[in-house]
Amino acid sequence: MLKKYIDQSLLSSLLVDATKAAIWVWNVQTGEVEFNERWAEIIGYTLKELKPISINTWLKYSNEDDLKISNAALEDVFTHKTEHYCAEVRMRHKNGSWVWVLDNGKVLEWTDEGKPLIVAGTHIDITNQKEAQLRAEKSEQNLSQIIENSINLIYRIDLNGNFTYISSTWHKRMGHDVKAATGSSFRPFIHPDDLPRVNSFFEVIKETGQNQELGKYRLRHKDGTWHYFESTASPIFENEQVIGFSGIARDITELVKTSTELTKKNEELERFFTVSLDLLCIADINGYFYMLNIAWEKTLGYSIEYLKSKPLMYFVHPKDVDHTANEMKKLSTTHSITNKFVNRYRCYDGTYRYLEWRSFPFKEFIYASARDITEEVEQKRLIEHLSYHDQLTNLYNRHYLEKITKTIIKNENLPLGIIVIDIDGLKEINDKYGHGKGDEILINAATIIKRNIPRVDYVFRMGGDEFVALVPCTDEHELASIKADIQADIDRSCNGDCHLSLSFGSHAVKSVETEVFNALKIADDDMYADKQKKRAKAHN
């Protein structure tokens, strides 16, 4: 009876094939259910293996907690609150893992009494997208901790100027309540004389779609005093349209006070302190410091007299000397403030600090300001590392693989060897010994895999118990050798309670026309075949 709904038209069949969707049709009154073959394939079965099929088949393989969600969504359709049924649910795969499914449906026929009779819908496998979402949420949590501990004020505002987010620094440094500010306009906190310039700052970002910097402006503290800030901001895009702004504001109140006091002393320093400053200096044309402020001592650890006794290049990181010399050469041909450039200066303890410079030549002197951005550079590196690395094994993650897919397959890398590795029985180990043991096995597996991959260019943890290695200039024979080396390492280094067993799959990409994830699918199928052989051997 229900089969006709699945095989209703050629068009629906083509759409199903194109979207890899599974189809289900359910007689609500009798419990009779009809699935297409893709429905069973999503959870690792064939329809033949699932027989006899009824509504209980769905209940058996669905996550118990998610059934509550799907049942509630169905009830809304049955009571005419909504027209369509939609829910994200987990189903138990044949291999024991959970598969995320986007479940959509609609009532096709009602009984004469107004009860639902025939309901039809689709299942689409969204496991990869859902796992990526969960990883992104974890990464966002880590980034949030970094942001909340920053001394700078981090904010987002919409096009109307209302805060949609503001970090806890708003309370710590300015005394204002974060919750009260969220959803309200930033404008009442800006000094009236600075407000036109701040408004113009955001208008330029909106019109150009580019990052902008805003120098000295004033924000009102809760106690009524005014604090000076400088800010950088970027546009937030949605559907290629600017919908708001995100930025960082840095409190420069003390810096402004210092600058104001120094500018009163003489004309020479007045020109110098027109630049927003942290580390302040004047250098002569021979490359020696002529004057420095106390921030240099605090930042680098050298006395001011010692800094003045050496050429300024003496303190520059060897790899930055040529770059710094080129920037200084530009000063001899310009009479305006140079664009910012960054180099590294050696500290008294032998470490290096990143300094961001702006300079202005005047007669025989160079007036310059440098800002210590070491913390910002390290935060940026940390954020990038967290974005592209798995936190448990420190290997690259799937996000990084997606980033390099357009550049990895090129002639100089061919043949490009792909190895897919899966830990056998990790779920059972977690259930029996706890996730601590499972994490230990994952770390052990990552270590062994990495040390047996030649030219360790790209080794990824794809999530869960799966690893991928991309090895340039490696054919099938070499791939077999690598897999054998990894297995030999396990046999050699693992004792009786190691519990580490791996299944392998591989594929050698020989054409630049090949798409990475298509090649990965071939290697993954090869790995799954290896796993099936092991299971068959174990049963025998």
Side-chain angles (χ1 to χ4, degrees):
M1 171 183 176
L2 302 179
K3 185 72 174 176
K4 65 177 183 178
Y5 292 98
I6 291 182
D7 298 329
Q8 195 167 33
S9 70
L10 174 62
L11 177 59
S12 64
S13 176
L14 291 174
L15 290 174
V16 168
D17 289 341
T19 61
K20 294 187 177 180
I23 296 179
W24 54 266
V25 183
W26 172 31
N27 188 316
V28 180
Q29 302 305 315
T30 66
E32 180 188 3
V33 175
E34 186 76 30
F35 301 130
N36 69 347
E37 193 65 43
R38 174 60 180 159
W39 193 96
E41 179 186 327
I42 288 176
I43 56 174
Y45 293 92
T46 64
L47 285 178
K48 183 177 180 181
E49 289 177 290
L50 295 177
K51 288 184 178 181
I53 294 173
S54 69
I55 190 60
N56 291 326
T57 308
W58 156 254
L59 299 176
K60 176 181 177 181
Y61 292 98
S62 296
N63 180 278
E64 184 175 344
D65 293 333
D66 294 349
L67 277 175
K68 298 174 183 178
I69 298 172
S70 62
N71 288 341
L74 275 171
E75 183 61 24
D76 285 344
V77 175
F78 292 169
T79 56
H80 301 281
K81 291 181 180 179
T82 58
E83 184 177 354
H84 292 88
Y85 156 81
C86 183
E88 292 181 356
V89 296
R90 286 166 290 180
M91 297 184 67
R92 180 69 72 183
H93 194 275
K94 188 178 183 180
N95 64 15
S97 65
W98 288 110
V99 177
W100 281 96
V101 172
L102 179 62
D103 189 9
N104 285 286
K106 182 179 180 180
V107 177
L108 300 183
E109 294 186 26
W110 300 82
T111 67
D112 294 338
E113 294 80 18
K115 295 181 179 181
L117 178 59
I118 304 298
V119 183
T122 61
H123 279 180
I124 297 177
D125 185 348
I126 60 169
T127 305
N128 290 340
Q129 300 94 311
K130 195 66 179 181
E131 289 178 348
Q133 175 191 337
L134 295 175
R135 289 196 299 271
E137 290 172 354
K138 180 64 176 178
S139 178
E140 184 176 349
Q141 180 183 1
N142 293 331
L143 294 179
S144 177
Q145 293 176 356
I146 294 172
I147 290 171
E148 290 304 306
N149 287 295
S150 173
I151 63 172
N152 293 328
L153 181 63
I154 300 173
Y155 62 88
R156 290 196 301 267
I157 60 175
D158 61 24
L159 294 180
N160 295 320
N162 297 319
F163 286 115
T164 56
Y165 171 82
I166 190 163
S167 64
S168 58
T169 305
W170 183 240
H171 175 71
K172 295 174 184 176
R173 297 186 71 90
M174 298 300 289
H176 298 294
D177 182 80
V178 171
K179 289 185 179 179
T182 304
S184 63
S185 174
F186 73 86
R187 294 183 176 89
F189 300 99
I190 305 294
H191 193 286
D193 293 344
D194 298 334
L195 186 57
R197 194 159 54 91
V198 175
N199 286 334
S200 176
F201 168 67
F202 289 113
E203 281 298 321
V204 171
I205 297 174
K206 180 181 177 182
E207 291 174 4
T208 63
Q210 298 178 349
N211 301 357
Q212 297 293 327
E213 298 181 3
L214 177 63
K216 195 172 63 176
Y217 63 94
R218 287 159 288 183
L219 282 172
R220 178 173 50 81
H221 193 278
K222 187 177 181 180
D223 63 12
T225 60
W226 294 100
H227 285 225
Y228 284 91
F229 279 78
E230 63 181 12
S231 183
T232 60
S234 305
I236 300 173
F237 289 97
E238 184 175 290
N239 297 326
E240 300 183 354
Q241 298 294 319
V242 177
I243 63 167
F245 314 94
S246 62
I248 300 175
R250 176 170 170 263
D251 190 337
I252 59 169
T253 304
E254 293 303 316
L255 181 62
V256 171
K257 288 180 180 179
T258 301
S259 177
T260 302
E261 291 172 1
L262 289 173
T263 54
K264 293 178 181 179
K265 293 182 178 180
N266 54 59
E267 180 180 352
E268 195 171 59
L269 291 179
E270 182 177 357
R271 293 190 185 92
F272 179 50
F273 290 114
T274 55
V275 184
S276 295
L277 306 169
D278 252 339
L279 303 169
L280 316 176
C281 69
I282 302 173
D284 62 30
I285 58 175
N286 296 316
Y288 281 80
F289 288 117
Y290 173 75
M291 183 179 294
L292 300 125
N293 70 342
I294 196 65
W296 285 88
E297 284 190 358
K298 294 179 179 178
T299 301
L300 300 184
Y302 299 106
S303 69
I304 288 178
E305 291 305 314
Y306 185 80
L307 288 165
K308 292 167 66 175
S309 71
K310 302 287 185 181
L312 60 88
M313 285 295 188
Y314 176 81
F315 304 98
V316 176
H317 192 288
K319 292 184 178 180
D320 295 340
V321 168
D322 290 343
H323 173 54
T324 303
N326 289 334
E327 291 296 328
M328 292 186 67
K329 186 177 180 180
K330 292 178 184 178
L331 291 173
S332 63
T333 59
T334 183
H335 297 285
S336 60
I337 297 175
T338 62
N339 292 327
K340 293 179 181 178
F341 79 96
V342 176
N343 63 8
R344 288 163 286 182
Y345 259 62
R346 186 176 68 253
C347 298
Y348 181 77
D349 62 6
T351 60
Y352 284 86
R353 307 292 294 179
Y354 283 87
L355 302 183
E356 183 180 69
W357 291 86
R358 297 196 77 178
S359 305
F360 178 78
F362 183 74
K363 296 182 178 179
E364 69 272 22
F365 291 103
I366 298 172
Y367 298 80
S369 66
R371 185 166 68 94
D372 184 354
I373 61 169
T374 306
E375 179 184 345
E376 295 174 24
V377 170
E378 291 175 349
Q379 284 186 355
K380 182 178 179 181
R381 285 177 176 171
L382 175 60
I383 291 171
E384 183 173 346
H385 184 83
L386 291 173
S387 298
Y388 292 139
H389 288 78
D390 172 58
Q391 294 184 44
L392 179 64
T393 63
N394 204 36
L395 298 177
Y396 288 125
N397 57 23
R398 186 183 183 90
H399 179 48
Y400 188 70
L401 176 60
E402 292 171 349
K403 180 178 184 291
I404 66 169
T405 50
K406 293 182 179 179
T407 58
I408 188 62
I409 298 185
K410 46 189 175 184
N411 286 324
E412 57 265 34
N413 288 338
L414 299 182
L416 176 66
I418 299 178
I419 304 176
V420 175
I421 304 169
D422 191 86
I423 299 177
D424 299 322
L426 184 61
K427 179 183 182 300
E428 289 75 11
I429 292 171
N430 282 330
D431 291 343
K432 185 174 181 180
Y433 300 102
H435 286 275
K437 183 65 176 177
D439 289 348
E440 178 185 326
I441 289 174
L442 281 165
I443 294 171
N444 192 21
T447 302
I448 292 174
I449 292 168
K450 194 170 183 179
R451 71 184 175 213
N452 285 282
I453 301 295
R455 305 180 301 280
V456 184
D457 295 308
Y458 302 107
V459 180
F460 306 83
R461 181 185 175 199
M462 300 296 281
D465 51 8
E466 186 175 352
F467 299 87
V468 168
L470 303 182
V471 191
C473 305
T474 304
D475 59 19
E476 287 88 346
H477 177 74
E478 291 175 292
L479 289 175
S481 178
I482 292 170
K483 291 186 288 186
D485 288 344
I486 294 172
Q487 186 60 55
D489 197 337
I490 294 173
D491 297 338
R492 182 173 58 252
S493 59
C494 288
N495 53 34
D497 62 351
C498 179
H499 300 291
L500 179 57
S501 173
L502 303 179
S503 293
F504 299 91
S506 62
H507 179 63
V509 177
K510 300 178 181 178
S511 169
V512 294
E513 302 299 323
T514 306
E515 203 277 326
V516 168
F517 285 98
N518 289 339
L520 271 173
K521 177 66 169 58
I522 296 173
D524 192 62
D525 290 343
D526 187 37
M527 180 277 295
Y528 186 71
D530 182 38
K531 189 179 290 287
Q532 292 294 88
K533 289 179 183 178
K534 289 183 179 179
R535 290 175 180 167
K537 184 177 180 180
H539 288 150
N540 294 331

